Amino acid sequence: FGIEENKVAPIRAKMFGVLVVKRSDGIIGYLAGFSGKLLDQPHPTIFVPSLFDISVNDKSFSRGMVSLTEINNKIKSLQTINSNKGLVEIQQLKDERKAKSLALQKEMLDQYYFLNLDGQAKSIYNIFEVFNGKLPPGGAGDCAAPKLLQYAFSHNMIPLAIAEFWWGNKPTTDKKHKLYYPSCTDKCLPILNYMLGRD
C-alpha cells in the first residue's frame, strides 16, 4: 500500500469500509470490506466477499470470450489481404464482434445482482438502466459500500452506520491515506440508491 519506507513494489491503495450492523438476534457487530480485489492474494476471510467472481460464476462468459478471440483471429488474418472483399469481411466481423461483446456484457451484468432493504433483487444492468439509461462503468458493484450492504441484506442484518476510508499512498490519486471519503457517484450512487430504497 505504499506505507512502508524503502519497499519496492507496485503500490495498490484502495477504499476500505466498515458497516455497523444489527443481527436478527439483536447483537450489534460490524462487517469489513474493500473495493475491488487483492491481486495475486487469497481473499482474507475477515472481509466480505465479492458479489460475483467471473472465474467461478460464469462458464458461458468463458465460452463467449473464446468466440470473441476467434473473431479477432479472423480479423487479423484478413488484415494481411489487401482487397476490397477483405475490407468488407473485416467490417462485417467487427460488427459481429461488437454485437457479441455487448450481448456477453449484458448477460454477465444480468447475473450480477443486488438486494435492497425489502429483500428484492435487481441486476446491476437494470439498476443503471433505470437510473440513467447507461451501462454500468467498469468496476461498478465492486466498491466497499455495495459489497457490505449486500452481505448484510443477504444475512438478515440491519445496517446502522457506515464509514469508508482510503488506505495507501498511491501518487496517481488525489485521495489521502487514512482519510474518510463518501461513496463514488459514477459507480456507487445508482446501486446505493436502489439498495437503500431511494429510486
Side-chain angles (χ1 to χ4, degrees):
F1 292 100
I3 299 164
E4 298 176 38
E5 291 184 15
N6 304 321
K7 179 119 178 169
V8 180
I11 297 172
R12 297 182 179 123
K14 59 178 61 244
M15 193 79 86
F16 283 79
V18 176
L19 177 67
V20 180
V21 294
K22 184 194 287 187
R23 294 191 332 197
S24 56
D25 58 7
I27 293 176
I28 293 177
Y30 71 92
L31 302 171
F34 57 86
S35 62
K37 296 175 175 40
L38 296 176
L39 298 176
D40 306 322
Q41 295 181 36
H43 189 87
T45 55
I46 190 173
F47 298 111
V48 299
S50 291
L51 276 73
F52 188 85
D53 184 350
I54 197 67
S55 64
V56 296
N57 287 62
D58 194 8
K59 292 178 182 173
S60 66
F61 183 80
S62 297
R63 287 193 297 271
M65 289 305 294
V66 168
S67 175
L68 290 175
T69 300
E70 289 172 357
I71 293 172
N72 284 337
N73 291 337
K74 287 179 186 175
I75 290 171
K76 284 179 186 174
S77 67
L78 284 169
Q79 284 174 336
T80 61
I81 303 170
N82 191 11
S83 70
N84 288 337
K85 184 182 176 184
L87 292 173
V88 170
E89 287 183 47
I90 288 171
Q91 189 56 52
Q92 288 172 341
L93 286 168
K94 285 182 176 180
D95 292 343
E96 181 185 352
R97 179 180 63 188
K98 182 178 180 181
K100 284 191 173 189
S101 181
L102 288 172
L104 188 61
Q105 184 180 21
K106 183 183 181 302
E107 183 182 337
M108 184 188 75
L109 293 173
D110 276 338
Q111 296 177 45
Y112 204 161
Y113 72 92
F114 292 89
L115 297 171
N116 66 9
L117 282 166
D118 299 322
Q120 299 168 326
K122 186 183 275 190
S123 76
I124 191 171
Y125 178 85
N126 288 331
I127 289 170
F128 275 81
E129 186 177 47
V130 169
F131 185 82
N132 58 17
K134 297 179 180 177
L135 284 174
D142 247 354
C143 296
K147 289 200 289 193
L148 288 165
L149 288 170
Q150 178 72 8
Y151 190 90
F153 292 158
S154 63
H155 289 83
N156 299 314
M157 299 174 183
I158 299 169
L160 301 176
I162 191 168
E164 291 183 281
F165 57 92
W166 188 256
W167 191 264
N169 290 319
K170 192 165 187 175
T172 56
T173 180
D174 58 349
K175 291 184 170 65
K176 304 294 182 193
H177 180 54
K178 293 186 180 180
L179 293 186
Y180 293 93
Y181 291 93
S183 298
C184 61
T185 55
D186 59 334
K187 296 178 183 179
C188 292
L189 181 62
I191 299 167
L192 295 179
N193 274 1
Y194 169 73
M195 296 184 87
L196 298 173
R198 295 178 184 161
D199 72 342

